[in-house]
Amino acid sequence: MTTTTSSATAIRAGRTGVTEQAADAAVDQACRMLRLPTMCARFAEVADAAQREQLTYRGFLAELLMAECDDRDRRRSARRITAAGFPREKWLQDFDYTANPHIQPAVIAQLAACAWVTKGEPLCLIGDSGTGKSHLLIGLGAAAAMAGHRVKYVLAAKLVNELVEAADERVLSKTIARYGRVDLLCLDELGYMELDRRGAELLFQVLTEREETNSVAIASNESFSGWTKTFTDPRLCAAIVDRLTFGGNIIETGTTSYRLAHTRAQRAGQSPVV
């Protein structure tokens, strides 16, 4: 019988005088068996702190269990962020509102609470290139993932290509269902290139699958009136605009380059004037 097993047996039998070394070994073994990595790693630290602060047994146990729960939440959030497929890290707290006065911090803070995602509402970020649309799109997507929502980020052109390939391989329904299951679909760079009728119709199917059930957030450099350049069929264009705006949130990021103003401010070491 190993030392760890002997220690655990002694503790279960309720024997007195168990050494701290044996107790630590038994706790370590139990945590590994129960798959409690944070409790295993932090047990000694929390036990020492509890002794210094004269916590009750209940208080010590609560501290240890909450440490495990908090760490599990962090790991789950990290997995959701990874699964979203963001091309780079962008956080809302890093957005420089002084670089683009069109963006209201209070509005973004309200969206960061993710009530719109829970309700399945759409979000449209409309503005010229470099005005911070992608930063906000990724940042809000990350906030939704941190809040427990399943999120997927994809470029509009890449999604259309994937749908066309899925249709050719006769797995379109499975692909549409996969995109339909996530709580928030972040569609970036919509409007940067013209879509043929087939591609536009396939994208419309994805939007219809999600309508009023799961949220879609898009970033586009074109105003809605200019979407006919992307969706050349007027009726299909109108239907897509309707899907993305009905009961949704629309934020216009303007024409002043956020990226340029932010870069100039960093180089100057002061807040930008725009």
Side-chain angles (χ1 to χ4, degrees):
M1 183 178 291
T2 64
T3 302
T4 302
T5 304
S6 299
S7 301
T9 302
I11 291 174
R12 285 197 298 268
R15 295 177 185 174
T16 60
V18 176
T19 65
E20 287 193 1
Q21 183 180 9
D24 287 348
V27 170
D28 181 83
Q29 183 192 40
C31 287
R32 293 178 189 279
M33 291 177 63
L34 296 172
R35 297 182 181 178
L36 302 171
T38 304
M39 290 180 66
C40 184
R42 297 194 57 193
F43 168 75
E45 169 198 341
V46 176
D48 291 343
Q51 188 174 33
R52 288 194 306 271
E53 297 168 14
Q54 297 184 329
L55 292 182
T56 64
Y57 292 129
R58 286 185 176 88
F60 161 66
L61 181 59
E63 288 287 336
L64 201 56
L65 289 172
M66 289 308 299
E68 183 69 44
C69 290
D70 290 344
D71 196 49
R72 286 193 179 192
D73 282 342
R74 284 191 290 270
R75 293 198 301 271
R76 280 194 292 264
S77 295
R79 286 196 295 270
R80 286 192 296 267
I81 292 288
T82 300
F86 298 120
R88 52 200 172 276
E89 284 191 2
K90 294 289 184 180
W91 304 101
L92 293 178
Q93 58 265 34
D94 298 328
F95 191 83
D96 185 359
Y97 292 98
T98 62
N100 189 341
H102 290 279
I103 310 299
Q104 300 299 316
V107 173
I108 301 303
Q110 183 179 18
L111 291 172
C114 299
W116 62 283
V117 180
T118 303
K119 296 175 183 177
E121 296 174 351
L123 168 67
C124 296
L125 298 160
I126 308 294
D128 283 1
S129 296
T131 54
K133 300 185 305 298
S134 290
H135 188 141
L136 292 173
L137 182 68
I138 295 172
L140 287 168
M146 295 290 287
H149 297 287
R150 294 168 298 175
V151 180
K152 182 63 180 176
Y153 170 97
V154 66
L155 297 177
K158 183 177 180 181
L159 174 58
V160 170
N161 289 337
E162 184 178 348
L163 293 171
V164 170
E165 290 177 6
D168 291 341
E169 296 171 5
R170 299 185 179 182
V171 291
L172 179 62
S173 59
K174 184 182 296 185
T175 303
I176 290 177
R178 175 159 49 83
Y179 278 102
R181 282 193 296 270
V182 296
D183 302 315
L184 172 61
L185 176 61
C186 296
L187 199 58
D188 205 356
E189 296 187 2
L190 183 64
Y192 278 78
M193 62 176 58
E194 179 181 321
L195 301 178
D196 61 23
R197 183 178 178 86
R198 186 189 186 200
E201 288 177 345
L202 292 173
L203 179 58
F204 179 69
Q205 287 186 49
V206 172
L207 300 178
T208 300
E209 177 79 10
R210 304 181 58 79
E211 186 180 12
E212 296 186 34
T213 56
N214 293 320
S215 292
V216 175
I218 66 102
S220 177
N221 67 320
E222 284 282 358
S223 62
F224 295 120
S225 61
W227 280 23
T228 50
K229 300 173 187 176
T230 300
F231 308 104
T232 53
D233 184 310
R235 288 187 298 179
L236 184 59
C237 180
I240 289 175
V241 171
D242 181 68
R243 294 291 189 281
L244 291 173
T245 57
F246 180 73
N249 306 275
I250 301 173
I251 296 178
E252 296 183 355
T253 58
T255 58
T256 303
S257 175
Y258 163 89
R259 192 178 298 123
L260 179 59
H262 185 67
T263 301
R264 284 175 174 171
Q266 285 184 321
R267 288 177 180 174
Q270 60 186 14
S271 297
V273 178
V274 292

